Amino acid sequence: MASDHSHSSPANLALTPVPQGDRVFHFHEHAALWFSLGTGLLVMQIGAYLVPAVGTQDALIAIVLGSLIGAGLLAWTARLGCQTGLASAGLMHATYGSAFARLPVLLNIAQLVGWTTFELVIMQEGTVAILKQALGSEPGGLLDGTGGKLLATLLWGGVLIALMAGSMLKLVRKFVSRFGLPLVIASLAWLTWQFGTRLQAQGFDAFWNRPGAGGMGLFSAMDLVIAMPVSWLPLVADYARHGKRAATTLGGTWLGYALANIWCYALGVLVVSTVEPGTNLVGALLLAQGGLIALGLILLDEMDNAYGDAHSGAVSVHSLQPRWSIKRAGLAFAAVCTVLALFLPIHAIEPFLLLLSSVFVPLYGVILGRLGSGAVVPSVTARTVDWSAAAVWVAGIACYHLLKQYAPDLGSALPTLAFTFALAALSRPRNAGGLTPARA
């Protein structure tokens, strides 16, 4: 999964810029990768959480605006990764100092263990549901007990481990962009048609004019939508550093992820609005005509998400332990997450997402405030701790939680991002030496 130049050098590849001659990703590869990573059952499930708390119109406004803003932040960070050639860990080192950066890198590893495990659990549950639908399930049979869960988890965990032994660049260029993307688009289009037809039969006007039941305002709903692209912020540079040009990296990332996020969130709203209250999302998808095939293809695409998390987790582990190659770290990472997926159920995903936002929104507000304007990027080993950057990050975390507690109607993500970005830009050292980002 490491880049092609990784096998000949014992250097810390996460903290070393990718040479321009080794970069291979064009616009369509960035767009395909981030459309694929933005698609998944988990995204649909989060979309289903929006209703009936908010009305249909507010939900769609939150989905569109939150996706455009969240994907824009993702794309801006991708542009920075391409300009510098640094992995996410390298950007953290350049911003916070080589010693302090270990803290956010460790937090990133922890969240990536969680995300990879969540993805494996989702694929496991979806696989068992598909097999029960296709083969039937007798009470007390294999699929009805823990046996089906064990086999499905080991199956997907084995696939993930096998993928980690290969090349990330080849996977993105030869599979995701050529084969995976058309299949997942076809699946989403089919499910949208099926549930859209059902909605039309039930009455579109009632759906469109449905008010919210309360418990979540427009800006709180936007926070929940923004939380999904924000969760990818600590990963995006690990892929964007392989982009040929900053402009195409930004455009492909923004377009691909925004389209996928809008579509999957909206599909989650559509599905939950046309089935009986309390119906499981996977069960609802299986009830649709052709849902078995469509869900199976989406599950295959879910592997891209698990792989994306595991690859970035391996890069972060390598940044802390360079003696572990990225491939070796990836194999161990995938094995650990497979074991965890056998025991970790999906519960309380919304608080988990928002907790991640409270850490990584201000973290990247500081990174973008310090590095995102095209300023000189400090050397990743120049300082042990940048105390002003660390202080702004901590203040940003406090700001996020204070807003959530005392001004929930304002939302937390965007005000915190603006606050940390402004403080980081104003406190940026003027005499820092280092790497000047490319502008092309």
Side-chain angles (χ1 to χ4, degrees):
M1 59 171 276
S3 60
D4 294 339
H5 62 281
S6 64
H7 302 287
S8 60
S9 173
N12 192 324
L13 301 177
L15 307 184
T16 305
V18 175
Q20 190 65 42
D22 290 347
R23 304 186 185 192
V24 294
F25 288 172
H26 298 84
F27 174 89
H28 69 279
E29 284 151 341
H30 290 294
L33 172 64
W34 286 102
F35 187 96
S36 180
L37 292 178
T39 300
L41 289 175
L42 184 59
V43 190
M44 296 180 201
Q45 288 176 340
I46 304 303
Y49 290 157
L50 294 175
V51 292
V54 296
T56 300
Q57 295 180 34
D58 281 352
L60 293 180
I61 291 172
I63 288 170
V64 173
L65 292 181
S67 297
L68 290 175
I69 293 169
L73 293 174
L74 201 65
W76 192 2
T77 309
R79 176 177 179 268
L80 180 58
C82 181
Q83 286 177 321
T84 62
L86 292 173
S88 295
L91 296 180
M92 294 177 194
H93 276 252
T95 303
Y96 294 97
S98 57
F100 188 85
R102 291 177 174 270
L103 175 59
V105 171
L106 283 170
L107 290 175
N108 187 36
I109 292 171
Q111 73 130 350
L112 289 172
V113 168
W115 279 119
T116 307
T117 303
F118 273 137
E119 295 291 354
L120 289 172
V121 171
I122 288 170
M123 289 187 286
Q124 164 243 114
E125 292 182 344
T127 301
V128 171
I130 288 174
L131 291 176
K132 285 182 177 180
Q133 176 82 3
L135 305 177
S137 176
E138 298 179 0
L142 178 63
L143 297 178
D144 204 39
T146 59
K149 173 182 175 180
L150 175 64
L151 291 176
T153 303
L154 293 178
L155 167 66
W156 289 115
V159 172
L160 179 61
I161 291 171
L163 290 175
M164 300 308 292
S167 165
M168 180 273 289
L169 300 181
K170 291 180 180 178
L171 178 69
V172 173
R173 298 179 72 196
K174 295 188 176 181
F175 178 76
V176 174
S177 60
R178 296 183 186 179
F179 303 105
L181 183 64
L183 290 176
V184 74
I185 289 177
S187 301
L188 291 176
W190 179 257
L191 290 173
T192 302
W193 170 259
Q194 289 296 313
F195 286 97
T197 302
R198 182 180 299 183
L199 175 65
Q200 192 64 38
Q202 293 177 358
F204 180 80
D205 289 342
F207 163 77
W208 182 247
N209 295 305
R210 181 182 56 195
M216 188 185 299
L218 175 61
F219 287 102
S220 298
M222 283 183 61
D223 269 356
L224 191 56
V225 175
I226 291 172
M228 190 60 75
V230 162
S231 71
W232 288 103
L233 281 176
L235 291 75
V236 62
D238 296 333
Y239 304 95
R241 66 198 299 234
H242 298 283
K244 284 185 168 291
R245 296 181 60 240
T248 55
T249 299
L250 182 146
T253 303
W254 198 345
L255 178 66
Y257 197 91
L259 286 177
N261 211 55
I262 290 171
W263 198 343
C264 286
Y265 266 92
L267 185 55
V269 171
L270 178 61
V271 171
V272 79
S273 300
T274 55
V275 299
E276 293 295 324
T279 303
N280 178 272
L281 179 72
V282 172
L285 295 177
L286 285 172
L287 291 175
Q289 183 180 3
L292 191 69
I293 297 174
L295 181 60
L297 292 175
I298 291 174
L299 279 179
L300 287 175
D301 181 73
E302 203 82 35
M303 178 53 68
D304 292 349
N305 296 38
Y307 178 88
D309 292 328
H311 171 75
S312 282
V315 173
S316 293
V317 170
H318 170 76
S319 76
L320 298 179
Q321 291 291 337
R323 289 176 297 176
W324 279 46
S325 68
I326 296 177
K327 179 182 291 188
R328 179 185 176 191
L331 292 170
F333 195 95
V336 168
C337 292
T338 300
V339 173
L340 290 175
L342 292 171
F343 306 102
L344 182 66
I346 297 181
H347 292 302
I349 185 67
E350 179 183 346
F352 175 65
L353 280 174
L354 295 178
L355 179 62
L356 291 179
S357 290
S358 73
V359 173
F360 289 109
V361 163
L363 182 80
Y364 275 83
V366 176
I367 290 175
L368 292 173
R370 288 291 174 89
L371 310 180
S373 61
V376 172
V377 178
S379 167
V380 295
T381 58
R383 299 150 298 159
T384 56
V385 180
D386 187 318
W387 290 107
S388 63
V392 174
W393 178 37
V394 173
I397 296 174
C399 175
Y400 189 102
H401 287 284
L402 287 171
L403 286 168
K404 183 175 175 59
Q405 180 69 29
Y406 296 107
D409 292 340
L410 295 178
S412 301
L414 296 182
T416 299
L417 182 75
F419 170 71
T420 50
F421 178 87
L423 283 185
L426 290 172
S427 62
R428 182 170 58 221
R430 302 300 175 186
N431 58 347
L435 175 68
T436 301
R439 297 184 179 273

